[in-house]
Amino acid sequence: MSVSAPGRAETGRPASKAGARRVATLVFAAQGVSIAAVYTTVPAVTERLGLAPLLTTTLMVTVALMAGAGSFLGLAAIRVAGAVATMRGALLTAVVALTLIGVAPGQATAVCAYVLFGIAIGALDVGINTQAAAIERAYGRSVFGSFYLAWSVGGVVSALLTAAAARLEWPVAGGLAVQAGILLVVAVCVRTHALPAATESPSPSAQPPLGRRLWIRLLPFGLVLLVVYVVDSTVSAWSAVYLRRTLDASLTVAPMAYAAYQAGTVAGRAATDRLVQRFGAGAVVRTAALLVAGALAGMAAAPSWPFAVLAAGAVGLGASVLAPLCLASAARLRPDASEAVLARLNLFNYAGVVTGGAVSGLLGSTGEFRLAYAAPAALAVLVLAAARHFAQPPHTAVQEPATPGTVQPKS
């Protein structure tokens, strides 16, 4: 399914953009399942092991930090073994980590399991986004949104599985075992579909160094990605608490803001590619930034929980399109070294997760949850300023080689 290891192009496998896209979509969905599995089971794991609130918060921050380190391990693995092997190895590592989290007999084992999960998810992240960038180049049009749609759907499915396991009064290990089983099936099913030769990366010795200037060109996309994940972590981690503490919602209603946010991301990502093809990436980014700013302000000023739920859905609708467009645009800066570019870009991703979760938690602990949602709204100015860098240059889809006996149409 991927670009093979540099200098190690596989032979005997037909080029198949459609096959590569199907497998990448499946892996994106598996990544969404794994992340949701970890975050939706935190309360159950905390209660089972008696984790202190500070330790729980530290663990979540550690997962993000280890994912940043895992991105660079994934980059090294891609250069040695190729993206397919990297993704398969990362999935199998995540299977082990999820299983250990569920059965951990004590806090030390749980800490090690969360660290292992962070490393695995970081390696998987750079591998699958590198592959998605290669597939988009092969298609010659925006397809990144469809991959992140699969990611969101996987997260929704995983959250529902967690809820169902709790409803059936399964131990947390049982629910995590089911979700780990999904990842295991995907890892076993991953197959290589060689992309057209023009999309293959040259060997590392043939690639010029990335250089310091790349950081400057990467900065607009990094800032947007940082804002996206500040917003995402603020809504995902704290919306239920905000509804419960500030808007006096019941325990049954409190999770509805998170559900609305995820539904918004599914809807937004389902439309991303069509919107980009029709209006251009820059226009889509500007519109999304304004929507996110207005919706966050709406959450901050919500007089009651129904308004906050609707606003959370609008936040998801706008924020959902920004991450895939960031990754696709950044990968085009250096198509011959997209895996290295994306590994660098992931640092902004995890910085946003850490910043958003920590700052929102701190403000919430002082009773200022409304400020926790109003503050990120101001960050939309950064997204608007960076929108012009998303102009998508025209590029032509790579023609797949004709099978023997067929005649290629003239362009």
Side-chain angles (χ1 to χ4, degrees):
M1 114 181 187
S2 91
V3 180
S4 20
R8 192 184 296 177
E10 296 192 39
T11 59
R13 291 188 182 274
S16 172
K17 294 184 295 187
R21 187 176 180 181
R22 284 193 298 270
V23 176
T25 299
L26 192 62
V27 177
F28 266 98
Q31 187 185 37
V33 167
S34 66
I35 292 174
V38 165
Y39 286 111
T40 58
T41 56
V42 167
V45 173
T46 299
E47 291 181 11
R48 188 176 74 83
L49 296 178
L51 301 179
L54 180 59
L55 178 57
T56 301
T57 302
T58 302
L59 277 178
M60 296 303 100
V61 171
T62 300
V63 168
L65 294 175
M66 289 299 101
S71 292
F72 287 93
L73 290 177
L75 170 60
I78 289 171
R79 289 174 170 171
V80 172
V84 169
T86 299
M87 290 185 292
R88 187 181 293 117
L91 283 171
L92 292 174
T93 304
V95 168
V96 174
L98 288 177
T99 304
L100 282 176
I101 290 171
V103 302
Q107 296 184 2
T109 304
V111 170
C112 292
Y114 280 114
V115 168
L116 183 63
F117 177 79
I119 292 171
I121 211 64
L124 181 60
D125 206 33
V126 71
I128 191 57
N129 282 300
T130 296
Q131 183 59 16
I135 294 169
E136 182 167 275
R137 289 197 301 273
Y139 272 86
R141 57 183 173 84
S142 176
V143 297
F144 242 92
S146 65
F147 296 132
Y148 275 80
L149 170 63
W151 190 99
S152 294
V153 171
V156 171
V157 170
S158 180
L160 292 175
L161 286 173
T162 299
R167 176 71 176 175
L168 295 171
E169 298 183 350
W170 288 7
V172 65
L176 283 172
V178 172
Q179 291 153 324
I182 294 174
L183 269 64
L184 181 60
V185 170
V186 172
V188 170
C189 292
V190 166
R191 294 290 182 272
T192 299
H193 292 271
L195 291 171
T199 66
E200 299 284 348
S201 298
S203 64
S205 60
Q207 294 179 2
L210 295 180
R212 295 182 180 179
R213 290 185 178 180
L214 182 65
W215 278 110
I216 298 175
R217 299 177 65 195
L218 200 60
L219 187 59
F221 308 116
L223 288 175
V224 173
L225 203 63
L226 187 146
V227 172
V228 168
Y229 282 98
V230 165
V231 171
D232 179 82
S233 60
T234 300
V235 177
S236 297
W238 300 106
S239 60
V241 181
Y242 172 55
L243 262 65
R244 176 66 173 165
R245 291 185 183 175
T246 305
L247 301 178
D248 297 322
S250 67
L251 290 174
T252 302
V253 167
M256 294 301 293
Y258 179 82
Y261 174 75
Q262 289 299 329
T265 65
V266 171
R269 286 168 177 170
T272 297
D273 295 326
R274 290 193 298 273
L275 290 173
V276 170
Q277 291 162 25
R278 183 169 181 177
F279 300 108
V284 172
V285 169
R286 291 185 188 93
T287 304
L290 293 173
L291 178 59
V292 169
L296 284 170
M299 283 194 74
S304 60
W305 69 261
F307 290 92
V309 169
L310 290 174
V315 174
L317 188 64
S320 63
V321 308
L322 295 174
L325 292 183
C326 274
L327 294 163
S329 299
R332 284 194 293 270
L333 295 177
R334 281 289 302 273
D336 60 332
S338 59
E339 70 280 2
V341 172
L342 293 175
R344 290 186 177 191
L345 189 64
N346 269 347
L347 295 179
F348 294 93
N349 171 345
Y350 303 121
V353 171
V354 172
T355 302
V359 173
S360 299
L362 179 61
L363 289 172
S365 66
T366 61
E368 298 294 337
F369 264 123
R370 291 189 185 276
L371 182 57
Y373 288 100
L379 296 177
V381 175
L382 295 177
V383 179
L384 289 172
R388 64 186 179 86
H389 296 278
F390 285 77
Q392 195 169 17
H395 55 290
T396 306
V398 179
Q399 294 287 338
E400 296 195 18
T403 55
T406 63
V407 178
Q408 287 276 56
K410 293 182 179 180
S411 56

